[in-house]
Amino acid sequence: MASMATTLASSLSSNPKSPFLDHKSSFNGTPVPPRVATIRSSRQSDNTISASLNGNSSYDLKSFKFEPIKESVVSREMTRRYMMDMITYADTDVIVVGAGSAGLSCAYELSKNPSVRVAIVEQSVSPGGGAWLGGQLFSAMVVRKPAHRFLDELGIEYDEQDSYVVIKHAALFTSTIMSKLLARPNVKLFNAVAAEDLIVKGNRVAGVVTNWALVSMNHDTQSCMDPNVMEAKVVVSSCGHDGPFGATGVKRLKSIGMIDSVPGMKALDMNTAEDAIVRLTREIVPGMIVTGMEVAEIDGAPRMGPTFGAMMISGQKAAHLALKALGQPNAIDGTFTEVGGLQPELILASSETGEIVNA
């Protein structure tokens, strides 16, 4: 109880970080302009509630009525836009497979370059992977320093401790990065779509084979349902650790003989794991970069448990490796520069001292 009281007192006395006025980017790039107008509400009278967008229009919530529309118009709008996206991204610059915390961080970093088109393929209806919650279905997300600089860029509040920060709910990170990322015109998220296989040409990964996720899950119960394809100059595999849909990128590389083994991740060691995941994020075969927990599967690195900084920074590193492969300015070879020199987000604190942070 005394330990719990000390921890609680420490938490209450710490200074929450409020970075919303700090618009500095950890890697520079194109800022995302706000697209949602501020909604002002005012009480017109005791019986009428109105809301105003930009002060130009108001409506009465007690007698609200929508403009009429034909059902076929709704169908055409959805179908036309999705089909145009499929045409646009059938041959693209980068495909990110898996929209967990690493995949979203990678796509966000890539999207800062408006000349790079990014397609995200996510088998789940809801992107975010395991980043909607912390460990054991708890709410808080722990991020070890200096990865908190990425949170500053995103404008996410946190409770700052000596060596780490805590976001009060993991969903704040996931929803914030998604809203900023998907607002950019050079990004398309194809959720509920599975990457069933890789396109390989001349010993180089050149894209992915796709299908609706529900079709992929039911191949054994139906007759043959052929897939579709998406070509890309670079594929980033962020499929997570082994599981029903996990580590599918590296497991497929092994099955077709492009890599020798997938030993799987070792037992948990937070202080070793996060540094290792960032360090080992790389182009594993020509045309394919591996990021996030899928890195642990191919290298036998330890699992990290419920800390998320390495996912964010591994995703950023993967993005800059992809930019390098595309011949674009990047932080890997030094062609991407920003005032202040080397970017601290690509260097996690060393665990060589053996020091362990106590909550």
Side-chain angles (χ1 to χ4, degrees):
M1 290 297 291
S3 175
M4 182 182 297
T6 301
T7 302
L8 180 60
S10 172
S11 174
L12 292 175
S13 63
S14 59
N15 295 323
K17 177 74 173 177
S18 301
F20 291 109
L21 298 179
D22 181 6
H23 298 293
K24 293 182 180 179
S25 164
S26 61
F27 281 115
N28 208 344
T30 305
V32 182
R35 294 195 175 193
V36 180
T38 301
I39 299 179
R40 306 184 190 90
S41 62
S42 60
R43 185 172 293 275
Q44 300 285 344
S45 66
D46 291 339
N47 299 320
T48 304
I49 300 174
S50 69
S52 175
L53 290 171
N54 296 325
N56 297 325
S57 61
S58 61
Y59 48 81
D60 185 354
L61 294 177
K62 295 179 72 71
S63 59
F64 191 91
K65 186 176 178 59
F66 286 99
E67 293 290 333
I69 194 169
K70 290 187 66 175
E71 284 78 2
S72 59
V73 170
V74 175
S75 178
R76 288 192 182 102
E77 286 292 345
M78 293 189 300
T79 304
R80 176 176 60 85
R81 293 168 190 271
Y82 198 90
M83 293 301 116
M84 286 304 300
D85 285 334
M86 292 183 71
I87 292 169
T88 300
Y89 290 93
D91 186 358
T92 192
D93 294 313
V94 182
I95 296 173
V96 178
V97 182
S101 49
L104 290 173
S105 298
C106 177
Y108 171 83
E109 195 67 33
L110 284 167
S111 72
K112 295 177 185 176
N113 187 328
S115 67
V116 176
R117 286 180 299 131
V118 183
I120 309 167
V121 177
E122 166 56 48
Q123 63 91 16
S124 176
V125 172
S126 55
W132 289 108
L133 291 166
Q136 199 172 318
L137 306 183
F138 297 157
S139 301
M141 173 183 277
V142 177
V143 177
R144 293 168 60 201
K145 292 181 177 179
H148 70 296
R149 296 175 185 267
F150 187 49
L151 304 178
D152 292 344
E153 177 183 338
L154 292 171
I156 298 173
E157 290 185 330
Y158 49 72
D159 177 23
E160 184 167 13
Q161 304 296 323
D162 289 341
S163 301
Y164 61 93
V165 301
V166 183
I167 306 170
K168 73 174 184 178
H169 203 298
L172 282 171
F173 166 77
T174 304
S175 59
T176 300
I177 194 170
M178 283 177 55
S179 66
K180 292 179 180 292
L181 167 65
L182 297 180
R184 289 186 163 155
N186 56 330
V187 177
K188 171 61 183 179
L189 168 65
F190 294 94
N191 49 330
V193 173
E196 291 190 330
D197 203 349
L198 301 171
I199 300 173
V200 179
K201 300 179 180 180
N203 207 39
R204 180 182 180 85
V205 174
V208 296
V209 178
T210 62
N211 216 326
W212 305 121
L214 290 175
V215 171
S216 292
M217 295 169 65
N218 287 280
H219 279 309
D220 294 338
T221 65
Q222 304 293 325
S223 60
C224 179
M225 293 173 282
D226 282 333
N228 205 341
V229 294
M230 297 174 68
E231 291 187 280
K233 299 178 180 70
V234 180
V235 172
V236 177
S237 187
S238 56
C239 298
H241 53 70
D242 196 14
F245 279 92
T248 52
V250 296
K251 287 190 289 188
R252 184 55 173 153
L253 290 179
K254 179 180 181 297
S255 71
I256 60 178
M258 293 187 73
I259 59 175
D260 294 330
S261 64
V262 181
M265 62 184 176
K266 294 180 181 177
L268 190 147
D269 180 347
M270 286 185 182
N271 288 276
T272 300
E274 291 207 277
D275 288 355
I277 293 299
V278 176
R279 184 178 69 254
L280 296 171
T281 297
R282 65 197 185 279
E283 185 176 39
I284 194 67
V285 298
M288 181 166 153
I289 296 164
V290 180
T291 185
M293 285 309 298
E294 195 167 7
V295 174
E297 292 290 336
I298 195 171
D299 287 309
R303 64 188 300 175
M304 69 193 62
T307 55
F308 289 82
M311 298 296 95
M312 303 169 192
I313 309 307
S314 174
Q316 284 192 302
K317 183 178 180 181
H320 283 267
L321 288 166
L323 291 170
K324 180 182 178 182
L326 294 171
Q328 296 287 337
N330 64 88
I332 303 300
D333 61 15
T335 56
F336 188 103
T337 58
E338 183 175 282
V339 177
L342 188 64
Q343 304 308 314
E345 289 73 17
L346 288 180
I347 307 174
L348 285 180
S350 173
S351 61
E352 292 177 358
T353 62
E355 294 181 355
I356 298 176
V357 176
N358 293 315

